[in-house]
Amino acid sequence: MPPAVCFTVGRLDIDFEKQLNPDQLAAVTSPCDRPALVLAGAGSGKTRTLTYRVAWLISECGLSPREIMLLTFTNKAANQMLERIYQLTGRAPSEFWGGTFHSIGNRFLRIEAQAAGLSPNFTILDSEDSERLLKEAVTDIFPNYFADKDNPKAKLLREIISYARNTRLEIRDAMAERFAWLESPYSDIEEIAEYYADKKRAANACDFDDLLELWYNLLRDNPEILQKYSSRFKNILVDEYQDTNKLQSDILDLLASHGRISAVGDDAQCIYSWRGAEIENILDFRERYPAAHIYKIERNYRSTPQILKFANSILAEMDSDEAYRKTLVPAREGYEKPYIIRAMDSVSQAKRVCDAISELVAAERCSYSDIAVLYRSHFQAMDMQLQLQQRTIPFAMTSGLKFFEQAHVKDVIAQIKFAANPKDSVSFGRFMKFLPKVGEKTVKKIFFRMEEVAKKRKIGEVEALAHPDTISKVPTSARKMFEEVAADILKISKMLDNMRKNADASGAGQGGAQAEQPQRATQADFFEQMLGGQPNSQEKKSELPAASAAEAAAAEPEVAAVSTPQDAIKLACSGWYVSAMKTVYEDWEDRCQDFDSLYEYASRFSDFEDFLANVTLEISEAETGNNGESADRVRLMTVHQAKGLEFPVVFLISAADGLFPTKRSIDEGDVEEERRLFYVAATRAMDYLVISYPRVSVIAGNYEMREPSRFLAGVDPSLYVVEGL
């Protein structure tokens, strides 16, 4: 251990040995002239280590703030780090080159604009601006591009081009790796990307990706400029190094060719490969910097010993280099082991989690704001939202919109609302927006023509929708898709008619949820049958991926004599709509999983009017945000959103195989990132960790039994307490 060191830095006396633990001290005081990789485990004081490293570089290595570059990934993280450095050293944030990769790239390009082929006053396009310019580029060279329903829309095009640039892949390779479902020729997208770049140059504008790519090109193609900045920045510090993509890593390798780089990260928390992060950047650090020394910081100040033992066990089966293996060591005491809740289904899971939340708050063991409910995918939170809303437990959605606020959920409901009430022009306009070259004016023309045809032909409006006289008002490029839409709406309408007839015959009235009419087995029925060993002839295990609920629900030629709200949802989530989603959303598969939750929600109703009234109320309540007024709120978020945060109480829900890890990752034989994500979830908890999973859930419209997550199977049962079925 190095001797005690105390220096005066600015107005502060810093006793490094006293203020840092031995692991932190070793990393902070590493030689100034050689590369260092600091593997900082969850809750180990990573930011503290970084800030003290800056203080050490200034005090011991004699560097001035202008000779230090600090890079991180969010403005919030950058501001917090610079503020802590100021509190420690007295050196103002403005003295450092510190910020996100994009902000530092912008700074470089402003100074070296001429060499980068820019004017110093270039503008930066935000996401909306870049999407608009890209759309213009497409229509300039391919006027009918968006008329082809197989071609990606502007937003998805931008994501394809961005992914290729940040991973340094050719567009054809990027599409094969990340966008394999698209049928659009990669050569067209390559041409679009080139022309889009030309339009940006003509406008003296850069998008966010340009700030990195042009920065890299500037350093690579101008040795004198590279030498200028490489000499100036005597040490480069990088936060969250495991999250760097290929382009960011290449920039760092150029700037830090002198080897004076301090990279701080955790390979066990690399969870963003889907947006280009490459775990190889941290795993191959020693190959790129042979003189590098690896430091481990393993003392955890966040979680109890019981939680840490559990978290360590999650990673125990992960195949990793011994130099990278970490075992978190507790710095505090604790009392309770993590809990595992086995629930019947997603509804009972939500009820039991809410019971536990209410009990903890009532016993004054925590407040609502101390609690986070985490989940792998957004669709898994629907029943939690409904249950919290029903019990008036205040909550806030951190990971996005509430379930019934989401655009694709509203799109599906709009189809059903219009089929039920063809006078509903608002719902009609909502799903018609997906048709190529169909704007607000055209929507109105089609709607008015439908009403005219219905009146003239003495037929229903839905039937009139598919009539040739109505179709004549549809742009030629949109007619094929329009015919598909009209056919599906007609089938849904017939289903609704059947439901109403059956309800009348049974005397159900408005009490449809309890109507004794023939219907498919409910989730509870299926569960009971499985426990009793009775085969369920109506429910078959799907052979399709879990994300393909809508595709698995392809409409049958004829409408069944007995229909349920589930049938209507299944049809509205299928066919043309899924095809449209594929060209709009990169995460269309994840969005399709929301349809499984919607299908399961519909299974609670046998009467259509009852279902539609309830779902409309749910949408209304979600939009009013009546649960978001109090500051004391339970937080709901995905595990990805929770990274970097901590909470006294963490509930991790839906921890079942096929849900976490996802079925997609299991099918592809790549669950290690899912394992790291599970570890991240567990290490968010400070005092209490509760993990739950349903024994049965809906996949591709079918009910299936669930096993606990394979990550739980690898944990010693003595490390947790099981409660439930």
Side-chain angles (χ1 to χ4, degrees):
M1 181 180 298
V5 184
C6 183
F7 294 97
T8 299
V9 182
R11 298 170 296 183
L12 299 175
D13 291 332
I14 303 178
D15 189 335
F16 287 91
E17 185 172 358
K18 185 177 181 179
Q19 297 180 25
L20 300 169
N21 69 40
D23 291 345
Q24 293 171 335
L25 184 65
V28 165
T29 60
S30 66
C32 306
D33 58 352
R34 62 181 289 182
L37 175 62
V38 182
L39 298 174
S44 64
K46 170 177 63 64
T47 304
R48 183 177 185 84
T49 303
L50 268 171
T51 56
Y52 274 81
R53 175 63 174 171
V54 173
W56 178 269
L57 291 172
I58 294 173
S59 62
E60 174 65 7
C61 302
L63 272 61
S64 70
R66 68 180 300 276
E67 295 176 311
I68 300 172
M69 179 184 292
L70 296 153
L71 289 161
T72 188
F73 281 85
T74 66
N75 287 320
K76 181 180 179 181
N79 292 335
Q80 287 178 342
M81 184 165 56
L82 290 167
E83 177 60 27
R84 291 178 67 168
I85 291 170
Y86 170 69
Q87 295 295 331
L88 181 64
T89 69
R91 309 306 293 262
S94 59
E95 296 185 64
F96 297 89
W97 272 48
T100 66
F101 278 87
H102 292 95
S103 67
I104 298 298
N106 174 60
R107 194 167 179 176
F108 263 89
L109 295 176
R110 297 290 177 187
I111 298 171
E112 307 294 345
Q114 186 175 358
L118 297 166
S119 296
N121 64 337
F122 68 85
T123 56
I124 300 175
L125 304 173
D126 61 21
S127 298
E128 186 177 339
D129 293 334
S130 62
E131 187 176 324
R132 187 183 300 112
L133 187 63
L134 181 58
K135 192 172 184 178
E136 289 179 11
V138 173
T139 53
D140 283 351
I141 57 178
F142 297 119
N144 296 316
Y145 187 84
F146 294 123
D148 187 339
K149 70 176 185 178
D150 292 328
N151 287 333
K153 301 298 185 286
K155 181 179 180 181
L156 185 53
L157 271 176
R158 184 171 62 83
E159 290 170 347
I160 294 168
I161 296 169
S162 177
Y163 184 82
R165 297 174 74 186
N166 282 280
T167 56
R168 299 187 58 75
L169 293 171
E170 298 292 334
I171 283 180
R172 69 166 71 185
D173 297 325
M175 290 181 67
E177 179 177 291
R178 183 79 188 148
F179 308 91
W181 71 86
L182 288 172
E183 299 179 10
S184 183
Y186 68 82
S187 57
D188 289 353
I189 300 178
E190 288 175 338
E191 188 173 348
I192 290 168
E194 288 182 20
Y195 188 68
Y196 170 58
D198 291 341
K199 286 184 76 72
K200 286 185 292 180
R201 282 194 292 271
N204 191 35
C206 293
D207 61 20
F208 290 130
D209 298 325
D210 287 321
L211 299 178
L212 299 184
E213 192 168 59
L214 295 180
W215 180 16
Y216 171 76
N217 293 341
L218 179 72
L219 298 174
R220 180 197 61 190
D221 300 335
N222 298 274
E224 70 286 355
I225 293 177
L226 174 60
Q227 178 60 34
K228 171 184 171 181
Y229 289 99
S230 182
S231 302
R232 172 180 173 171
F233 295 110
K234 302 292 194 300
N235 211 286
I236 299 170
L237 290 87
V238 189
D239 189 18
E240 303 288 5
Y241 187 76
Q242 78 281 349
D243 293 335
T244 55
N245 59 39
K246 180 69 168 98
L247 181 54
Q248 292 163 336
S249 177
D250 286 351
I251 291 170
L252 290 171
D253 287 349
L254 287 173
L255 280 174
S257 56
H258 48 51
R260 294 187 295 275
I261 182 173
S262 302
V264 182
D266 184 5
D267 58 298
Q269 297 188 72
C270 184
I271 59 174
Y272 296 115
S273 65
W274 50 275
R275 66 184 189 195
E278 294 195 11
I279 193 171
E280 289 77 13
N281 290 342
I282 193 169
L283 297 180
D284 297 341
F285 189 84
R286 289 176 298 175
E287 293 182 16
R288 300 199 314 280
Y289 301 97
H293 186 84
I294 295 180
Y295 300 89
K296 296 181 185 179
I297 305 177
E298 299 174 296
R299 183 167 294 276
N300 177 286
Y301 295 90
R302 175 185 299 158
S303 306
T304 65
Q306 293 82 0
I307 292 173
L308 292 183
K309 286 181 181 179
F310 183 91
N312 287 331
S313 295
I314 294 169
L315 294 183
E317 296 184 9
M318 189 167 71
D319 184 23
S320 62
D321 189 319
E322 188 60 35
Y324 285 76
R325 282 193 175 274
K326 297 177 295 297
T327 301
L328 296 179
V329 179
R332 51 169 296 197
E333 295 182 350
Y335 307 99
E336 299 201 35
K337 296 179 181 180
Y339 287 86
I340 308 293
I341 294 177
R342 298 188 295 182
M344 185 182 80
D345 54 20
S346 61
V347 177
S348 60
Q349 175 182 239
K351 289 179 178 178
R352 290 163 79 166
V353 170
C354 285
D355 287 342
I357 290 172
S358 297
E359 289 170 8
L360 284 167
V361 173
E364 299 185 348
R365 300 174 77 174
C366 66
S367 61
Y368 289 126
S369 59
D370 292 330
I371 302 171
V373 179
L374 309 183
Y375 33 85
R376 171 61 180 86
S377 302
H378 194 72
F379 79 94
Q380 296 163 0
M382 185 196 73
D383 280 308
M384 276 302 309
Q385 296 173 49
L386 298 180
Q387 195 63 214
L388 289 165
Q389 214 159 262
Q390 181 180 326
R391 300 196 188 193
T392 64
I393 296 174
F395 72 97
M397 296 293 301
T398 304
S399 58
L401 299 172
K402 295 178 181 179
F403 184 86
F404 287 103
E405 284 183 299
Q406 298 176 102
H408 54 291
V409 174
K410 286 186 172 183
D411 293 339
V412 168
I413 298 301
Q415 296 178 60
I416 298 174
K417 289 173 72 173
F418 175 77
N421 175 23
K423 302 291 186 185
D424 187 350
S425 59
V426 175
S427 293
F428 181 76
R430 182 170 190 94
F431 60 80
M432 287 292 290
K433 68 184 179 183
F434 286 94
L435 274 65
K437 293 190 176 182
V438 174
E440 188 174 342
K441 290 183 178 178
T442 305
V443 168
K444 289 181 179 179
K445 288 180 181 177
I446 297 171
F447 188 84
F448 290 146
R449 176 55 65 91
M450 175 196 71
E451 291 188 317
E452 289 175 355
V453 171
K455 187 176 181 179
K456 181 180 179 180
R457 301 284 179 178
K458 295 183 170 48
I459 56 178
E461 285 94 340
V462 173
E463 188 179 351
L465 190 65
H467 195 279
D469 290 350
T470 304
I471 295 174
S472 66
K473 286 294 182 180
V474 180
T476 304
S477 60
R479 286 184 183 177
K480 184 177 180 182
M481 181 178 277
F482 179 83
E483 289 172 356
E484 294 175 7
V485 173
D488 282 355
I489 295 295
L490 183 59
K491 289 178 183 177
I492 294 171
S493 178
K494 290 179 179 179
M495 289 179 181
L496 304 186
D497 287 341
N498 286 343
M499 281 184 253
R500 291 177 177 126
K501 290 175 183 177
N502 291 327
D504 291 341
S506 65
Q510 291 298 309
Q514 288 77 41
E516 296 181 359
Q517 61 179 8
Q519 59 178 318
R520 290 182 177 86
T522 65
Q523 200 166 358
D525 293 335
F526 175 74
F527 186 81
E528 294 296 333
Q529 289 178 8
M530 291 298 291
L531 286 184
Q534 301 173 8
N536 190 332
S537 61
Q538 297 187 40
E539 307 296 340
K540 297 180 180 179
K541 187 173 182 177
S542 173
E543 297 179 355
L544 297 175
S548 303
E551 293 180 308
E556 299 177 358
E558 301 296 331
V559 176
V562 177
S563 300
T564 70
Q566 290 171 292
D567 298 314
I569 289 292
K570 210 171 194 180
L571 181 55
C573 294
S574 66
W576 75 269
Y577 186 66
V578 171
S579 296
M581 287 178 65
K582 289 181 180 180
T583 66
V584 176
Y585 304 117
E586 178 188 0
D587 61 344
W588 69 274
E589 291 179 295
D590 293 331
R591 292 173 185 262
C592 280
Q593 288 185 312
D594 286 331
F595 300 152
D596 282 332
S597 294
L598 192 58
Y599 179 89
E600 192 279 328
Y601 179 81
S603 73
R604 303 169 198 178
F605 305 89
S606 57
D607 178 77
F608 168 71
E609 306 296 348
D610 198 24
F611 162 74
L612 196 57
N614 275 271
V615 80
T616 303
L617 288 171
E618 297 291 359
I619 292 173
S620 176
E621 289 188 14
E623 291 176 335
T624 60
N626 57 0
N627 275 307
E629 297 175 358
S630 171
D632 187 22
R633 295 174 287 176
V634 175
R635 267 61 176 181
L636 272 63
M637 65 187 77
T638 65
V639 182
H640 284 102
Q641 287 285 333
K643 186 175 178 295
L645 304 177
E646 59 184 33
F647 301 90
V649 182
V650 168
F651 291 89
L652 175 62
I653 64 173
S654 299
D657 240 33
L659 298 177
F660 199 172
T662 64
K663 189 175 187 301
R664 192 187 317 162
S665 66
I666 296 171
D667 290 344
E668 294 174 356
D670 184 16
V671 299
E672 289 310 295
E673 183 161 332
E674 294 285 297
R675 182 187 300 278
R676 297 193 295 270
L677 190 61
F678 204 97
Y679 169 82
V680 167
T683 54
R684 299 311 94 194
M686 299 167 66
D687 302 315
Y688 300 99
L689 173 63
V690 183
I691 298 174
S692 64
Y693 67 92
R695 297 288 305 279
V696 64
S697 62
V698 177
I699 296 296
N702 296 310
Y703 299 118
E704 294 184 16
M705 293 296 297
R706 288 287 184 193
E707 296 295 328
S709 171
R710 61 191 60 199
F711 306 138
L712 291 175
V715 177
D716 187 337
S718 68
L719 299 180
Y720 56 82
V721 177
V722 179
E723 184 261 337
L725 298 165

